[in-house]
């Protein structure tokens, strides 16, 4: 077995690999860029080597520096994690040349699966069912239109080198091919330096189901069941689970057998994933094979009891797989939610900055948190803004989901925006609960994006009760401070008025508190047992005997509460304060409808209109490139372009005015 392993990655996956190495008694080496000097993975590893400046292209992607770091530290093997160099055949070759073991497949297998056209051809040959389509390189829009017509609409335009949902677009008619083809191609060019495009049939209402496999160097290849990853946004996974609520034993076996056949055809070793899309009739089609560990591998670990990183390391060291296909079972159910630094209410704009508070839920038999950050750490602009993967396990799907909701409630992150509320909201949707998933789930359930309305609790009274108890406690503390002016000491009333606003509309609730426990909100009486004391950000309680955790933040109007995917701002007044508050003038929100604002920080690639031009609703106004995606900004209604504030080539801040309408 290896004595020392270098992890050529950062963030949560580097930390996760280090944990397994530790358990196996293997020393670890981290590598880091300028931006990551104080990162968690650097702290966790036994040694760390600085490999360059913050840009990945100058650090995590520089093969020579990583090989040098191995030599310098005596690391005998490299785990690449996912992303960065994990699917780079040149990296594999460079390591082989330096006699360092790459913990992953061999270069030819990476190469064969590295691009979608080649891998689809190989899959076809190995008897794997693939999406009907055209397997050649398409040279221009005219050819794309011709082929799309032959395949039949809708079609998927895809970059052969694509990954992470980039360079991929659905086209439902010729006009969409016209618009999408060049966009996808230029995205592919800028992201992957490879603009080869192909077209396949778009499978309607598809589910994304993938098979995890592992192979050793002794000819053993087994599959470790499936993961369903249908909850996606812009073709990027958000929530994953294992097993899939859709597969029956027969389909699982058929998919597993095809995945193994493909791996054998590619002479595959190590862990890999064969991705399929599955139509509503359980027909499945090969999409691609990922020749590395996947982000969502923990759900497989939770239902099989295996440690995939350990298996990868053992196989790389030449060991035989310790189990056979018949030993692989399914125990219970697991879910994973990807916790991102992003703002769901602003079209999931990535958020960067310092994490000022970080309290992940406690880990136990039901909860696993793979974090890549710590309190005081930074989410930088340079890398993927993932904060952590939150995974839960339960006896069945319902139990796993209940653990997930409770864990999300107990997850407290401040300093950057995050998607905890959005994740909880998804879990609460009826279709999710029923397991009726498709990759269109998010687009269908949130047709206008995620808004304040999605954060609204059906019954606000429990949150009102908690806010009042919190306020009551602060009031009692203020009243107990010594040295108050005699005769003017503060008194704590037994009756309060709670004012709820925002998405709820204006509501006043009369509230009374008895013995710090019994709270009457309107006509409803609740018993709230909690050990909360002022200053704590999590209010853990039993409300009428049911456990609940509520986030408490002080905000401008009083308190901001969050629980079960719902958020509420509440002001608590004495009856007299409430009377006076009613007389206060309300500030109307500013009218921004006359401006085209940049929805994200990015580059203004092109302006499609001129000053004085009339535009129709839906017409393209500008293209903003951000995170290597080209976003077309369209007119929301008919109008006339007035002053143009920014020229093509300008870099834009979020909410920066691009142009005005007259
Ligand atoms: P990437 O490598 O960019 O992740 P994939 O080929 O794995 O691209 O596809 C990502 C997602 O896009 C899939 O999970 C699925 O939701 C969707 N998708 C891809 N191809 C098709 C298709 N032919 N029909 C329907 N959906 C598709």
């Amino acid at each position: 077995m290896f004595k020392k392993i270098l992890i050529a990655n950062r963030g949560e996956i580097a930390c996760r690999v280090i944990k397994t190495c530790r358990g196996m008694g293997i020393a670890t080496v981290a590598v880091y860029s300028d931006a990551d000097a104080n990162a968690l993975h650097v702290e966790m590893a036994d040694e760390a080597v600085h490999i360059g400046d913050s840009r990945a292209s100058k650090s995590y992607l520089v093969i020579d520096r990583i090989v040098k770091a191995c030599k310098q530290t005596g690391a005998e093997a490299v785990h690449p994690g996912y992303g960065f160099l994990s699917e780079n055949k040149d990296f594999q070759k460079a390591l082989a040349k330096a006699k360092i073991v790459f913990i992953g497949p061999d270069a030819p297998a990476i190469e064969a699966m590295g691009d979608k056209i080649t891998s689809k051809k190989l899959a076809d040959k190995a008897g794997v069912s693939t999406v009907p389509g055209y397997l050649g390189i398409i040279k221009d829009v005219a050819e794309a239109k011709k082929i799309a017509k032959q395949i039949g609409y809708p079609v998927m335009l895809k970059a052969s080198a694509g990954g992470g949902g980039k360079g991929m677009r659905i086209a439902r008619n010729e006009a969409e091919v016209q618009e999408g083809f060049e966009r996808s191609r230029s995205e592919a060019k800028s992201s992957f330096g490879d603009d080869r495009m192909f077209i396949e049939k778009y499978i309607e209402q598809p589910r994304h189901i993938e098979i995890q496999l592992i192979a050793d160097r002794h000819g053993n290849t087994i599959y470790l069941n499936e993961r369903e990853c249908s909850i996606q946004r812009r073709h990027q996974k958000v929530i994953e689970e294992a097993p899939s609520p859709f597969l029956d034993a027969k389909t699982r076996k058929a998919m597993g057998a095809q995945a193994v056949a493909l791996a054998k055809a590619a002479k595959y070793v190590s862990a890999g994933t064969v991705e399929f899309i599955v139509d509503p009739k359980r027909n499945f089609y090969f999409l691609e094979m990922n020749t590395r560990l996947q982000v969502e591998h923990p759900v497989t670990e939770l239902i099989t009891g295996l440690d995939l990183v350990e298996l990868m390391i053992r196989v790389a060291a030449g060991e035989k797989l310790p189990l056979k296909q018949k030993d692989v079972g399914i125990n219970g159910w697991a879910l994973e939610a990807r916790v991102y630094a992003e703002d769901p209410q602003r079209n999931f704009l990535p958020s960067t900055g310092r994490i000022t508070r970080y309290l992940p839920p406690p880990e136990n038999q039901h909860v696993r948190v793979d974090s890549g950050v710590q309190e005081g750490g930074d989410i930088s602009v340079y890398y993927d803004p993932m904060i952590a993967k939150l995974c839960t396990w339960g006896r069945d799907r319902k139990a796993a989901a209940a653990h997930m909701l409770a864990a999300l409630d107990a997850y407290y992150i401040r300093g950057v925006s995050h998607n905890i509320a959005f994740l909880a909201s998804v879990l609460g949707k009826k279709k999710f609960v029923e397991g009726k998933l498709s990759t269109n789930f998010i687009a269908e359930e949130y047709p206008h994006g995620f808004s304040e309305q999605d954060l609204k609790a059906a019954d606000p009274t429990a949150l009102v009760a908690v806010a009042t108890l919190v306020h009551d406690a602060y009031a009692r503390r203020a009243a107990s401070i010594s040295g108050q002016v005699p005769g003017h000491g503060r008194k704590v009333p037994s009756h309060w008025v709670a004012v709820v606003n925002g998405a709820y509309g204006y509501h006043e609730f009369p509230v009374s508190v008895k013995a710090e426990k019994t709270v009457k909100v309107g006509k409803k009486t609740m018993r709230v047992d909690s050990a909360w004391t002022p200053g704590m950000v999590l209010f853990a309680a039993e409300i009428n005997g049911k456990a609940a955790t509520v986030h408490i933040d002080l905000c401008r109007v009083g308190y901001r509460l969050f629980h079960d995917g719902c958020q509420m701002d509440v002001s608590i007044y004495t009856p007299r304060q409430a009377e006076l508050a009613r007389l206060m003038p309300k500030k109307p929100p500013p009218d921004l409808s006359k401006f085209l604002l940049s929805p994200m920080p990015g580059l203004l690639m092109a302006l499609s209109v001129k000053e004085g031009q009339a535009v129709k609703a839906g017409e393209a106004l500008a293209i903003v490139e951000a995170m290597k995606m080209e976003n077309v900004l369209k007119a929301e209604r008919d109008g006339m372009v007035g002053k143009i504030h920014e020229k093509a080539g300008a870099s834009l801040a979020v909410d920066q005015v691009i142009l005005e309408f007259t």
Side-chain angles (χ1 to χ4, degrees):
M1 186 42 66
F2 309 114
K3 290 195 179 63
K4 197 186 263 188
I5 289 178
L6 180 141
I7 297 103
N9 215 304
R10 61 176 304 283
E12 69 82 19
I13 193 61
C15 300
R16 188 257 165 274
V17 174
I18 292 170
K19 272 187 205 159
T20 288
C21 291
R22 248 191 219 158
M24 295 175 76
I26 300 171
T28 52
V29 181
V31 290
Y32 66 96
S33 66
D34 287 349
D36 278 338
N38 299 312
L40 186 59
H41 74 283
V42 174
E43 189 173 302
M44 280 176 70
D46 298 311
E47 285 171 80
V49 181
H50 177 250
I51 51 164
D53 84 23
S54 303
R55 286 164 296 168
S57 61
K58 301 280 179 222
S59 50
Y60 295 107
L61 290 170
V62 184
I63 294 175
D64 290 349
R65 301 234 177 109
I66 292 171
V67 173
K68 209 172 120 199
C70 288
K71 287 188 176 151
Q72 191 184 321
T73 55
E76 308 147 82
V78 170
H79 196 297
Y82 52 74
F84 296 131
L85 295 171
S86 61
E87 292 176 287
N88 186 313
K89 59 176 192 308
D90 297 331
F91 183 46
Q92 207 279 353
K93 284 182 191 159
L95 289 173
K97 211 172 131 204
K99 303 225 158 17
I100 299 161
V101 177
F102 176 74
I103 302 173
D106 298 332
I110 299 176
E111 195 163 3
M113 295 301 162
D115 92 74
K116 293 190 207 262
I117 295 178
T118 325
S119 67
K120 219 175 141 178
K121 282 184 182 156
L122 183 66
D124 238 358
K125 235 170 75 191
V128 176
S129 69
T130 57
V131 187
Y134 176 76
L135 267 183
I137 300 159
I138 292 168
K139 41 180 209 301
D140 54 25
V141 180
E143 192 185 1
K145 285 182 186 165
K146 200 178 100 200
I147 285 164
K149 200 165 162 195
Q150 280 165 11
I151 296 172
Y153 288 104
V155 296
M156 199 77 166
L157 313 172
K158 275 192 178 180
S160 187
K166 284 176 190 139
M168 185 161 67
R169 270 176 179 70
I170 302 168
R172 295 191 177 273
N173 49 50
E174 222 181 76
E176 290 186 6
V177 174
Q178 176 80 37
E179 189 186 310
F181 188 78
E182 285 305 329
R183 285 274 87 73
S184 296
R185 179 142 87 173
S186 86
E187 239 169 63
K189 179 99 197 158
S190 72
S191 301
F192 315 109
D194 174 346
D195 66 356
R196 289 171 306 139
M197 297 289 298
F198 70 107
I199 302 186
E200 63 188 22
K201 181 88 187 151
Y202 176 74
I203 307 294
E204 298 274 10
Q205 293 301 329
R207 300 174 78 119
H208 174 118
I209 301 178
E210 58 189 31
I211 301 286
Q212 173 71 54
L213 40 86
I214 178 105
D216 64 19
R217 291 201 178 276
H218 305 272
N220 305 302
T221 306
I222 59 175
Y223 64 93
L224 308 176
N225 302 310
E226 77 282 6
R227 292 183 287 260
E228 173 147 9
C229 318
S230 297
I231 307 292
Q232 305 183 345
R233 205 180 63 77
R234 287 184 152 199
H235 310 301
Q236 296 249 51
K237 299 161 187 167
V238 178
I239 293 178
E240 301 99 335
E241 60 188 295
S244 158
F246 190 59
L247 285 200
D248 47 34
K250 193 174 137 230
T251 317
R252 174 175 300 125
K253 205 169 163 189
M255 289 173 78
Q258 288 200 6
V260 168
L262 177 61
K264 291 207 158 152
K267 299 201 170 52
Y268 197 87
V269 287
S270 192
T273 297
V274 180
E275 298 190 332
F276 293 94
I277 36 177
V278 184
D279 75 10
K281 291 186 182 138
R282 290 201 181 84
N283 296 310
F284 57 88
Y285 308 95
F286 168 77
L287 270 184
E288 63 168 352
M289 178 168 187
N290 290 323
T291 55
R292 53 166 163 88
L293 192 65
Q294 303 263 105
V295 176
E296 61 274 20
H297 74 276
V299 291
T300 299
E301 298 186 326
L302 288 170
I303 62 158
T304 58
L306 298 167
D307 180 330
L308 277 164
V309 172
E310 180 181 341
L311 290 178
M312 286 176 86
I313 293 172
R314 291 197 180 283
V315 164
E319 289 186 16
K320 261 191 189 153
L321 281 177
L323 75 169
K324 299 240 163 357
Q325 189 64 57
K326 65 173 175 32
D327 306 323
V328 180
I330 299 180
N331 174 27
W333 213 282
L335 284 171
E336 173 181 282
R338 298 190 186 191
V339 179
Y340 274 103
E342 62 184 14
D343 190 346
Q345 286 194 64
R346 304 198 60 150
N347 198 21
F348 299 89
L349 178 76
S351 173
T352 57
R354 174 141 300 158
I355 300 181
T356 52
R357 282 314 296 278
Y358 187 69
L359 300 171
E363 290 191 286
N364 55 41
Q365 157 197 17
H366 295 290
V367 180
R368 166 173 167 180
V369 192
D370 287 15
S371 291
V373 300
Q374 53 193 336
E375 195 163 288
D378 268 325
I379 300 288
S380 79
V381 294
Y382 299 105
Y383 317 111
D384 182 72
M386 187 151 78
I387 296 174
K389 308 185 305 204
L390 176 60
C391 304
T392 57
W393 178 88
R395 215 189 302 268
D396 53 27
R397 191 167 185 268
K398 201 172 151 201
H403 286 299
M404 181 60 83
L405 277 170
L408 287 169
D409 269 350
Y411 212 137
Y412 189 88
I413 305 165
R414 293 296 180 272
V416 292
S417 306
H418 56 77
N419 63 342
I420 299 267
F422 174 68
L423 295 170
S425 165
V426 169
L427 253 69
K429 293 278 179 191
K430 188 164 171 275
K431 274 198 177 158
F432 184 87
V433 173
E434 291 169 352
K436 291 187 181 141
L437 315 179
S438 91
T439 59
N440 302 323
F441 181 94
I442 290 177
E444 284 171 5
E445 294 288 325
Y446 305 93
H448 307 292
F450 186 70
S451 74
E452 210 181 31
Q453 290 298 327
D454 295 303
L455 290 166
K456 214 167 120 180
D459 177 6
T461 51
L463 288 181
V464 167
V466 169
T468 311
L469 279 176
V470 164
H471 190 76
D472 189 73
Y474 277 116
R476 271 184 288 108
R477 190 175 64 168
S480 70
I481 293 170
S482 60
Q484 308 211 18
V485 179
H488 294 271
R490 298 182 196 214
K491 292 193 185 70
V492 183
S494 58
H495 288 76
W496 299 96
V497 177
V499 176
V500 173
N501 226 325
Y504 295 86
Y506 185 90
H507 278 294
E508 286 188 9
F509 297 89
V511 192
S512 65
V513 179
K514 234 192 272 164
E516 300 166 40
K517 266 189 179 43
T518 308
V519 190
K520 196 169 167 201
V521 181
K523 290 198 177 72
K524 206 166 163 185
T525 305
M526 274 163 272
R527 188 185 157 95
V528 184
D529 289 292
S530 173
W532 184 86
T533 54
M536 285 164 77
V537 292
L538 294 177
F539 188 99
E542 276 196 7
I543 303 178
N544 286 338
K546 232 183 118 200
T549 308
V550 182
H551 294 195
I552 307 280
D553 288 304
L554 302 181
C555 71
R556 198 171 45 84
V557 298
Y559 306 97
R560 169 163 288 183
L561 277 66
F562 172 80
H563 168 67
D564 206 7
C566 303
Q567 184 177 298
M568 181 195 270
D569 290 350
V570 201
S571 314
I572 311 290
Y573 297 128
T574 62
R576 175 65 179 152
Q577 285 169 338
E579 214 178 302
L580 297 173
R582 275 175 222 130
L583 304 173
M584 295 295 279
K586 308 265 177 299
K587 189 180 168 195
D591 178 17
L592 295 172
S593 63
K594 283 208 154 151
F595 298 95
L596 175 70
L597 307 178
S598 177
M600 61 200 90
L603 174 76
L604 181 58
M605 286 186 66
L607 272 165
S608 325
V609 290
K610 292 195 185 66
E611 290 187 0
Q613 185 177 332
V615 290
K616 289 232 169 321
E619 210 171 297
L621 301 171
I623 301 170
V624 175
E625 191 210 70
M627 312 289 285
K628 296 193 172 159
M629 293 280 277
E630 294 180 13
N631 305 278
V632 181
L633 308 185
K634 295 178 177 165
E636 277 176 12
R637 48 194 158 96
D638 298 357
M640 172 86 78
V641 179
K643 187 169 166 19
I644 291 187
H645 289 255
E646 298 299 333
K647 284 203 275 292
S651 50
L652 302 168
V654 61
D655 278 346
Q656 187 163 339
V657 178
I658 299 172
L659 56 83
E660 268 174 58
F661 299 99
T662 58

